[in-house]
Amino acid sequence: MQLLERQASLEVLQQSARDLRAGQGRVVLVSGEAGLGKTSLLESFASTHRGQERVLWGRCDPLFTPSPLAPFQEIAAQMGGRLSALPDDQAGSTVVFSRLLQELHRAGPAIYVIEDLHWADEATLDAIKFLGRRIQAVEALLIVSYRDDELDQNHSLRNLLAVLATCRTVRRVPLAPLSVESVRQLIQQERFDPEIVHRKTGGNPFLVTELLVSGEADRVPPTVRDIVLQRAARLPKAARNVLEVAAVIGPRSDARLLRRIVGDDADLTDACMGVGLLRAEGETLVLRHELTRQAVLESIAPPRRAVLHSQVLEALLELGTASASLLAHHAEAAGDAEAVRTHAPIAAKLARSVGSHREAADQLARALRYTGSNRPEERANLLEALAEECALLDRQGDAADTRRQAVHLWRELDNPRKEGSNLAALAWPLVRSGLNAEADVCSLRAIAILERLGPSRELAAALRMQAHLRMLDRDKDSAMAWGRKAIAMAEAVGDLETLASAHLAVGAAMLVTDDLRGRTYLNRCISLAREHGFDGLVALAYLNIGSSYGEQYRFTEAERILKVGMAYAFERDLDHALHYIQAWLALTYLYQGRWTDAADLALEVLQAPELAVVSRIMALVALGRVRARRGDPGVWPALDEALDLAQRTGTLQRLAPVRAARAEAAWLGGSPERARTEAEAVWDLALAHRHPWHVGEFAFWRRRAGSEVRSPSWIARPFLLELDGDWQDAATAWAERACPYERARSLAEGDEVACREALTLFDRLGASPAAAALRQRLRSEGIGRVPRGPRAATRSNLLGLTPRQAEILLLLREGLTNAAIARRLHISTKTVDHHVSAVLAKLGVSSRLEVAKLEASPQPTILGGVAKYGDIGRPE
């Protein structure tokens, strides 16, 4: 088949190859529906590089549960077995991926092609994510292809694509169907009408080619299935059996495996190749196309298909070279329950060891389907293993349900140790789901059961969980008491991971209440976790230190620690920790007056494909407060969602930031009564926890809304000074905390000189609502020559654009796409999408094309990122 309409795609690949020769690694994503010619494109590109760079191929297989790192294993074999240690069930995913990166670096300039990534296991996707973030320094061009029409909302490949969207080393090559003119070039026969062929095939090159080969002149077969089965019908029965066995094995069949099942008659294989349904690639037989394989599979009656899978399973066991996941795949298709129970748990363990938690969960679910109630202990072990995987995947509802089943089974088996252990573990998905009260009940029940059995690792873990729950509830004394019990128990039984995590719970409980001695415990956690490879605990420790400093308004220290933690989590692809750290860093930027950075980072977090509820709440708070302070649209949608999520937890930790943000937004929006309602909503809860900052802020907003408030003497000093009317010292206190907006707010309560300084600060920050309210108040008080505010040279005031939005508008006027703007500004395309929507709304236009008409309209135009005005009056 001719390669038509693919020159632009080839040029992207060739440019990436030129970058490779210049020492710069690249990732290229080739996407399109089945049959568009992704493989043909890659083979054409590869043919121009053989003899220059090594071109190595790996493929993903359409198994029910994929084999971990299968395409990298295939590439390893071509490299002489360099990567033969992958996967290694003794090594964690970070170690495995780092080893992979080192081997690629050591291998020198090479092109690596991985096909059909939509069938990849999670470890393969994580490996590509890992490489994509680091490949620029490696002499490697990694090209991956996938079907973009087979990705539903929950497909694990979407997570990888979202992450790679922000990597400057990544290029995309989306393939489109052929035009009518290209179909006409392919046909070159009068008996075929190009218009009809194009309409019937949708311009899919594979379907067009299959139609031409079939020789059907009078009509177009509606699907490729008809073409494939027409060809297969020409085969003798024995050759048809070869084709069916090959389809059951997979897209590629090892010749030894196929011969073991169907015999050594080469004529039969030749017959399949003769009708164009198979082709040979060395010792491998390949079906012409995956659509071909699917058509053959669908034509096999289910009972016979099960028999063929059984034959493949038997042959694979005899050869002894198949992975556990492949064996489990054929075992389930054959309906062999015993084989499924044997191989699926092994496959799950291996998948977990390299970070393929989706595949591990799928394998465990597969094993559970074949493990009935007559095997209660085996089933209980599978359930608790599946619960672990679901929790790691942030499928907290599934994790909780599965844990409950495990608890029930262990109770029926009269195994209190296992029952207590699973009850304690059940608390985690419950609290992550916002069911804090139920989590606490489970935790205390677990401790009561396990204490009757004496000291154990299970009891130490249960005590640590209760300490963590108390810390989350900001109950310092109780958290410390439980945590110290957990530390003593973990030391007695030699449980280092629980020992480290118990130190974290105690340290965080202290630090979040401004007891700086908590750092000693947290540093001990980091030391233990680093020494023994508990990477997740290290990231969690940084997360807790940074967020604790943030909750205590120590933003300079918070920023420093959060950035250390962000780098640590990013380097190890610990995205769950990374997202929460980023959410708190966005809040830190908010209070430091870096509002554009805060909004952009919050949006980045909110666009993550998989995001824990706690991270989403804090990112929504940061975004909502920025919008409220700048007068941007979209304040209440963000804060309403945050409240809905926070109310499920019932905890001060989540409710207080949300209610405070809503009180401020209501006040700035001119609704003092609503501000008072929001500030009073969790007043009693904050008082009960004696939280000086939350109580201080709620007292401040209640006073502003007109309530008589007797504030406790122990509230945070800046708020106490504001409530006492000491605006000067309050402004100084806020300046010491690096909070310019709060400083301006205090100055606005002072004399005329202070108010003018406050206006300057508000204008510099872009705090339009606060600045407008202060100007109106000063004028009503008869103060003359009140500054009009930012002039045209400093801020696009009439448009109401933020500095970032003004920058976006300038780039829109250059005709750049959202993707190009994202590359220019080093932010994600989704963040640009949000900004473009906001810009269009503020300009009052419905499309980016209308932006070009602004030059001719009596509206300010944006040049160089600032507004310039004609004779339309001076901006205030």
Side-chain angles (χ1 to χ4, degrees):
M1 191 186 91
Q2 302 175 55
L3 197 63
L4 300 173
E5 298 184 358
R6 299 294 184 253
Q7 289 308 308
S9 301
L10 279 172
E11 178 52 30
V12 174
L13 294 170
Q14 297 293 6
Q15 179 58 54
S16 299
R18 289 191 288 271
D19 292 341
L20 171 64
R21 295 189 199 107
Q24 296 181 342
R26 291 286 184 267
V27 175
V28 180
L29 306 176
V30 180
S31 61
E33 68 182 46
L36 282 187
K38 298 182 290 295
T39 298
S40 298
L41 172 71
L42 296 177
E43 288 177 345
S44 176
F45 167 72
S47 68
T48 65
H49 287 270
R50 293 192 175 96
Q52 301 179 56
E53 296 93 2
R54 286 191 304 165
V55 182
L56 306 172
W57 293 71
R59 299 167 180 85
C60 304
D61 293 321
L63 305 179
F64 293 137
T65 300
S67 302
L69 300 174
F72 289 104
Q73 291 283 24
E74 190 173 352
I75 288 172
Q78 299 166 52
M79 295 174 69
R82 278 180 175 270
L83 305 179
S84 59
L86 300 177
D88 180 353
D89 62 5
Q90 300 301 314
S93 57
T94 302
V95 174
V96 172
F97 299 162
S98 297
R99 186 187 307 157
L100 173 61
L101 186 67
Q102 292 167 7
E103 293 295 341
L104 296 185
H105 183 73
R106 194 175 299 130
I111 298 171
Y112 303 89
V113 180
I114 295 179
E115 290 194 82
D116 297 324
L117 198 65
H118 51 280
W119 290 324
D121 67 290
E122 191 176 15
T124 296
L125 298 178
D126 283 348
I128 291 173
K129 177 170 69 173
F130 185 94
L131 295 174
R133 287 171 164 175
R134 300 160 178 85
I135 203 168
Q136 188 167 13
V138 180
E139 291 181 303
L141 171 56
L142 176 60
I143 306 171
V144 299
S145 70
Y146 64 93
R147 295 183 189 173
D148 54 6
D149 61 330
E150 294 190 8
L151 307 183
D152 60 30
Q153 288 185 339
N154 298 318
H155 199 291
S156 54
L157 179 54
R158 287 197 178 277
N159 185 18
L160 169 65
L161 297 175
V163 171
L164 293 183
T166 60
C167 295
R168 284 177 285 173
T169 57
V170 176
R171 292 181 174 137
R172 293 177 180 266
V173 179
L175 299 187
L178 299 178
S179 66
V180 174
E181 286 304 312
S182 289
V183 171
R184 180 175 285 109
Q185 289 184 54
L186 283 176
I187 292 175
Q188 296 180 346
Q189 298 179 42
E190 291 184 2
R191 58 179 175 167
F192 286 91
D193 185 332
E195 297 283 350
I196 294 177
V197 171
H198 187 269
R199 185 172 67 251
K200 291 286 188 179
T201 64
N204 185 295
F206 170 74
L207 298 181
V208 172
T209 304
E210 290 298 306
L211 171 65
L212 299 180
V213 173
S214 73
E216 293 284 344
D218 55 346
R219 68 181 183 85
V220 177
T223 67
V224 69
R225 182 178 181 276
D226 295 333
I227 300 172
V228 171
L229 296 184
Q230 181 189 46
R231 291 188 185 185
R234 304 177 203 163
L235 296 170
K237 185 176 181 180
R240 174 67 182 254
N241 182 56
V242 171
L243 182 65
E244 291 177 345
V245 172
V248 167
I249 291 173
R252 292 172 302 283
S253 302
D254 181 89
R256 291 184 307 155
L257 175 61
L258 191 61
R259 285 195 298 268
R260 186 172 287 269
I261 300 170
V262 302
D264 200 13
D265 190 341
D267 290 341
L268 298 177
T269 303
D270 290 344
C272 295
M273 296 175 68
V275 297
L277 294 178
L278 283 180
R279 70 175 188 270
E281 291 184 359
E283 286 297 308
T284 302
L285 291 172
V286 182
L287 279 110
R288 179 178 178 85
H289 191 280
E290 174 58 20
L291 295 177
T292 301
R293 190 179 81 89
Q294 291 296 330
V296 173
L297 281 176
E298 291 170 6
S299 71
I300 306 172
R304 172 165 166 72
R305 200 157 58 229
V307 170
L308 293 178
H309 276 289
S310 182
Q311 292 175 358
V312 173
L313 175 63
E314 183 179 354
L316 287 171
L317 289 170
E318 290 173 356
L319 289 172
T321 57
S323 66
S325 58
L326 185 61
L327 295 173
H329 162 76
H330 288 294
E332 182 173 31
D336 189 334
E338 184 177 353
V340 171
R341 290 196 301 270
T342 298
H343 301 295
I346 297 173
K349 180 181 178 182
L350 186 59
R352 178 186 173 92
S353 73
V354 294
S356 288
H357 297 293
R358 291 185 193 282
E359 283 64 45
D362 289 345
Q363 293 288 5
L364 291 164
R366 167 184 279 162
L368 276 164
R369 288 195 293 272
Y370 290 85
T371 307
S373 57
N374 61 327
R375 298 170 178 268
E377 186 169 345
E378 183 179 349
R379 185 171 178 81
N381 280 314
L382 289 170
L383 284 167
E384 64 178 61
L386 178 58
E388 285 288 335
E389 298 304 322
C390 289
L392 290 170
L393 293 168
D394 218 11
R395 289 158 36 185
Q396 302 305 331
D398 291 341
D401 290 343
T402 309
R403 279 287 179 197
R404 289 189 184 99
Q405 294 179 53
V407 169
H408 177 73
L409 281 178
W410 289 122
R411 185 180 298 129
E412 286 191 338
L413 288 166
D414 194 24
N415 189 328
R417 189 176 303 281
K418 280 286 195 176
E419 179 189 353
S421 175
N422 279 271
L423 271 172
L426 174 57
W428 184 244
L430 289 173
V431 78
R432 294 284 308 282
S433 302
L435 302 173
N436 293 58
E438 188 179 346
D440 199 37
V441 169
C442 289
S443 173
L444 292 173
R445 279 178 57 201
I447 292 170
I449 291 170
L450 292 169
E451 280 184 332
R452 292 196 293 268
L453 304 176
S456 66
R457 296 171 70 91
E458 292 83 1
L459 178 55
L463 294 169
R464 193 279 309 172
M465 178 59 70
Q466 179 60 203
H468 198 85
L469 293 176
R470 300 279 59 77
M471 180 273 290
L472 292 177
D473 204 30
R474 298 301 183 253
D475 189 345
K476 174 186 174 182
D477 293 339
S478 183
M480 290 178 63
W482 286 108
R484 284 168 176 161
K485 284 184 180 180
I487 289 171
M489 182 72 66
E491 287 176 336
V493 299
D495 187 344
L496 294 175
E497 188 168 6
T498 296
L499 180 63
S501 57
H503 274 85
L504 186 153
V506 173
M510 297 172 72
L511 194 61
V512 81
T513 55
D514 214 16
D515 186 342
L516 300 184
R517 294 173 298 173
R519 279 301 300 268
T520 302
Y521 285 89
L522 287 158
N523 290 342
R524 176 61 173 154
C525 168
I526 292 173
S527 176
L528 280 169
R530 282 185 179 275
E531 182 181 353
H532 298 284
F534 306 138
D535 288 346
L537 274 178
V538 176
L540 194 59
Y542 285 131
L543 178 158
N544 275 275
I545 296 170
S547 60
S548 295
Y549 280 146
E551 198 166 312
Q552 296 300 317
Y553 284 62
R554 296 176 176 270
F555 295 114
T556 300
E557 295 155 288
E559 180 184 3
R560 179 176 58 83
I561 292 294
L562 289 169
K563 285 184 173 178
V564 172
M566 186 164 63
Y568 187 91
F570 181 87
E571 179 66 25
R572 290 156 181 81
D573 294 324
L574 300 170
D575 286 346
H576 170 65
L578 177 65
H579 294 153
Y580 193 78
I581 290 171
Q582 288 176 317
W584 257 105
L585 188 57
L587 283 166
T588 298
Y589 289 157
L590 161 77
Y591 284 103
Q592 291 174 328
R594 298 161 60 180
W595 292 351
T596 297
D597 291 337
D600 287 350
L601 188 53
L603 284 168
E604 292 282 354
V605 174
L606 294 170
Q607 290 155 7
E610 292 182 354
L611 187 64
V613 167
V614 291
S615 301
R616 188 166 190 85
I617 291 171
M618 305 316 287
L620 286 167
V621 169
L623 184 62
R625 289 198 101 146
V626 168
R627 289 174 174 175
R629 291 183 176 189
R630 289 198 305 208
D632 290 347
V635 175
W636 289 106
L639 295 182
D640 285 346
E641 183 184 353
L643 180 60
D644 178 61
L645 296 173
Q647 283 180 323
R648 302 177 195 175
T649 72
T651 64
L652 182 69
Q653 182 190 17
R654 306 298 169 209
L655 287 167
V658 175
R659 289 294 187 180
R662 293 171 66 85
E664 179 179 36
W667 173 263
L668 291 173
S671 301
E673 186 61 38
R674 184 174 183 179
R676 178 167 52 247
T677 300
E678 296 288 351
E680 291 174 348
V682 289
W683 170 258
D684 291 337
L685 184 62
L687 277 176
H689 286 276
R690 290 180 62 88
H691 197 295
W693 291 96
H694 293 327
V695 173
E697 183 164 17
F698 290 140
F700 172 82
W701 289 117
R702 290 180 68 190
R703 175 75 62 83
R704 281 234 158 163
S707 295
E708 289 294 327
V709 181
R710 295 184 60 185
S711 53
S713 60
W714 44 260
I715 66 172
R717 184 169 179 270
F719 285 118
L720 185 62
L721 292 168
E722 283 186 306
L723 290 166
D724 287 344
D726 190 348
W727 60 266
Q728 198 164 18
D729 284 347
T732 300
W734 285 122
E736 291 170 350
R737 298 275 175 173
C739 298
Y741 181 83
E742 284 73 11
R743 175 170 179 260
R745 193 176 63 193
S746 294
L747 289 170
E749 299 302 311
D751 56 25
E752 182 179 339
V753 173
C755 286
R756 292 182 184 276
E757 185 180 355
L759 270 179
T760 300
L761 280 172
F762 282 143
D763 289 337
R764 189 180 301 158
L765 290 166
S768 301
L774 180 55
R775 284 191 174 89
Q776 182 179 3
R777 194 192 84 203
L778 292 176
R779 288 169 182 158
S780 68
E781 292 174 357
I783 296 177
R785 302 184 65 182
V786 176
R788 289 177 174 267
R791 298 183 64 81
T794 59
R795 183 170 173 270
S796 49
N797 187 58
L798 288 186
L799 292 179
L801 299 180
T802 67
R804 176 68 91 191
Q805 290 167 353
E807 193 174 16
I808 295 285
L809 179 55
L810 175 64
L811 298 176
L812 283 175
R813 296 186 64 79
E814 291 182 18
L816 297 184
T817 64
N818 287 12
I821 293 172
R823 288 192 294 272
R824 180 81 65 87
L825 300 179
H826 307 296
I827 58 179
S828 76
T829 304
K830 288 187 177 181
T831 299
V832 175
D833 293 342
H834 166 79
H835 284 311
V836 168
S837 296
V839 168
L840 297 181
K842 288 184 178 182
L843 294 178
V845 297
S846 58
S847 74
R848 57 198 302 133
L849 296 177
E850 296 180 61
V851 174
K853 301 176 183 178
L854 289 176
E855 286 281 15
S857 67
Q859 296 289 331
T861 59
I862 302 297
L863 299 173
V866 298
K868 292 191 174 183
Y869 297 81
D871 297 327
I872 57 176
R874 293 180 177 275
E876 280 205 352

